[in-house]
Amino acid sequence: MKGSLMLLTAQLCMGLVFVGFGSLASAQLRGRTYYVSLRGDDANPGTKSRPWRTIRYACSRLRAGDTLIIEPGDYGVVNGVKFANSGTREAPIVVKAEKPGEVIFREGTCAFDLTGSHHIVIDGIRFLGYIRNTAIAIGAPASYIKIRRCIFEGNGANGITVWGHSGNLPLVHHLEFYENQFIDTKELPGDQDYGISLNYGMYAYVHHNYVFGRHHQAISFKRKFWYGIVEKNVFEGFLYTALYLGQNLDTDREDNRSRYIIAQWNVFRPAKGYRAKTPIWCANVEHAVIRYNYMEGLDEVDGGWGAGIHLSDSEEGYKPANPAHVLIYGNVMRRIGGTTNNPAIRVLARCTDVRVFHNTFANCKRGIGAESPERVIFVNNIFYRFERMVYEPKVQNFVFDHNCIYPDWKGKGEGDFSGDPLFVGPFEPLVLKGVNPHFEPDPRSDACMLREGSPCIDAGRFLTRTVGAGQGTKVKVEDAGWFTAGFDKPIPDAEWFSGGFNRPQGSVIRIGNSGPLRVVAVDYENNILTLDKPAKWSDGDGVSLYYEGKRPDVGAYEYSDKGSYLIGAEHPER
């Protein structure tokens, strides 16, 4: 009995010890909440009633799981803030404004230097007038950084700068920037060249941001960044380029080539007092996907001699950009050009395997242009009511097939046709607005849906066909280059992101009568698609982005009596 009692006592003690350790671990995981206020003092303990005064001191005290709440106010010059500790996957360090947008940092060279920091969240701060450098710098090593609900206004060079190591990209990884505002107006003292500049890193998810004004390059994958998703951002006004995919060119000694970048579901337009030159520039990049974006201009607004999408680039002393394996589909452009003669698609230098298919280009000043005689494939697009089809004349190597070109163009391909596509309309001119922060894209693309009786319905070409009959999840096709799995490999720790990388990004297709099917892997060398679920097919079955009817429709939209939808994007009712 005595032995049993001693054993029970020991077991209870051990249990209390484990409970104690568990409670301690739970407390550490939760962390503490501290405060900074203009009424505070760094000699205080950082509580709500006795807050700290300076951001730099506060961030030097934070540990994993801690949250720092900054009370409203103008904190003046805030410069060179670094974190003494990093957070963890389960317990990040969070620095946030008590009221987003009402905490102001200003006029330093760099507010936050996140070099050497991991698992950090910056939330709701307004960065104003960092005219000599950047508001937030992320340098190697750094990882698992989230910047959200911040305002970057009139900062001299950049709002956010990512600068890793050119020879070791994994030193900077897992970055997410969302619900931020990048404002650059003529009234501000600084000229915010870049909203976000990404250099030497991996895995960036940029989404639901609002960009306004006169940025030179609003968001740029500038130097050698691998794996990025830019989606559902709103760009209103940009002096030069809104979104750059692979900006800096290579030299004999420097490799700046970006890889695996997806730009989708973004909106681009001019704003009151600000032009919109080039929505997307696709240059020094491999395996880029540009899909489901909406781009709009206005006849009386300067288009800046740009294009809806620029392809490639060249500069003395550098190698030509040569964008390679680029898929451009499901995009809608309206009135690109403005007071200039800008085309929808413009090629500036060398390109390799660029495919433009199932897009709608309506009322653009010019349809296409090329300064270099590159081979670019155009299939199943609509070119509608352009003033002239060709801008620069070196388009002799462009390949056209099954495009609707209206009015007629003598240079159209053998499978192209001319006829009014019968859009739903109406084509009301864009109403220019001032600063109007919103984070859900608001495209006016529905006007380009097809009406019943359109000659574009069931008039498209299958992108490729099956080779041999079979069933299962692997299918051989004649040309797998029309499709993407999103990326060439699984993204590590994709669950950390709030979306994007943790969702399937492969093409949604139909094979014969089977679909919708999601492409989850592509073997481009052997032309084999791997699907997300089993299918059955016959030899020679048509393979295309998901569609209804006998054949794909021409243009960005697929007509359906259940409601039209962008081709290859699953219908909401499914």
Side-chain angles (χ1 to χ4, degrees), residues 25 69 230 240 269 293 306 334 337 361 387 415 424 444 449 497 511 537 539 542:
I69 297 176
V230 185
Y240 296 121
R269 58 169 69 98
N293 300 285
R334 290 177 54 184
F361 309 114
E387 286 190 4
V424 169
R444 304 190 323 138
M449 291 179 176
F497 294 97
I511 301 175
W537 59 90
D539 182 34

Side-chain angles (χ1 to χ4, degrees), residues 146-165:
K146 292 194 178 189
I147 312 296
R148 66 190 185 198
R149 299 193 299 178
C150 292
I151 302 173
F152 299 88
E153 198 167 354
N155 299 301
N158 309 326
I160 301 172
T161 301
V162 177
W163 195 285
H165 191 291

Side-chain angles (χ1 to χ4, degrees), residues 110-122:
C110 175
F112 287 102
D113 181 355
L114 301 184
T115 302
S117 296
H118 309 273
H119 297 286
I120 304 291
V121 178
I122 308 294

Side-chain angles (χ1 to χ4, degrees), residues 264-399:
Q264 59 189 8
W265 304 106
N266 301 288
V267 168
F268 306 84
R269 58 169 69 98
K272 191 173 183 179
Y274 300 95
R275 74 182 191 187
K277 181 180 178 181
T278 298
I280 298 178
W281 198 320
C282 181
N284 192 13
V285 64
E286 289 182 14
H287 294 287
V289 178
I290 301 170
R291 61 189 177 192
Y292 307 133
N293 300 285
Y294 178 70
M295 311 170 195
E296 184 171 12
L298 191 63
D299 288 345
E300 58 266 30
V301 174
D302 175 21
W305 301 102
I309 298 175
H310 263 136
L311 290 167
S312 197
D313 199 5
S314 62
E315 186 176 345
E316 187 176 352
Y318 295 87
K319 297 179 181 179
N322 189 24
H325 314 299
V326 178
L327 303 181
I328 301 173
Y329 65 88
N331 303 285
V332 175
M333 297 187 196
R334 290 177 54 184
R335 300 188 184 278
I336 296 297
T339 59
T340 59
N341 294 323
N342 299 349
I345 303 290
R346 185 183 187 191
V347 175
L348 299 179
R350 184 182 176 191
C351 296
T352 300
D353 190 24
V354 175
R355 308 181 190 213
V356 182
F357 54 106
H358 286 295
N359 302 280
T360 295
F361 309 114
N363 300 105
C364 299
K365 283 296 181 75
R366 302 289 186 267
I368 54 175
E371 294 183 3
S372 178
E374 305 300 314
R375 186 178 189 269
V376 177
I377 301 174
F378 292 82
V379 172
N380 294 346
N381 302 286
I382 295 175
F383 293 89
Y384 176 73
R385 291 196 180 279
F386 43 85
E387 286 190 4
R388 197 168 75 198
M389 183 63 176
V390 177
Y391 181 38
E392 294 106 341
K394 297 182 180 181
V395 299
Q396 63 267 30
N397 292 330
F398 284 8
V399 178

Side-chain angles (χ1 to χ4, degrees), residues 450-497:
L450 302 175
R451 298 204 312 261
E452 185 177 1
S454 167
C456 295
I457 296 173
D458 288 353
R461 192 197 86 178
F462 295 122
L463 298 178
T464 189
R465 291 183 179 273
T466 58
V467 177
Q471 58 184 348
T473 58
K474 291 186 181 294
V475 54
K476 186 173 179 60
V477 296
E478 293 174 348
D479 184 358
W482 292 99
F483 308 109
T484 179
F487 307 105
D488 63 334
K489 61 182 180 181
I491 302 301
D493 202 11
E495 295 75 18
W496 177 82
F497 294 97

Side-chain angles (χ1 to χ4, degrees), residues 529-547:
L529 305 177
T530 301
L531 311 173
D532 64 339
K533 56 188 175 183
K536 186 176 182 179
W537 59 90
S538 301
D539 182 34
D541 274 351
V543 184
S544 281
L545 297 176
Y546 184 74
Y547 64 94

Side-chain angles (χ1 to χ4, degrees), residues 42 67 155 206 211 451 473 485 501:
D42 286 346
T67 297
N155 299 301
V206 183
V211 178
R451 298 204 312 261
T473 58
F501 289 114

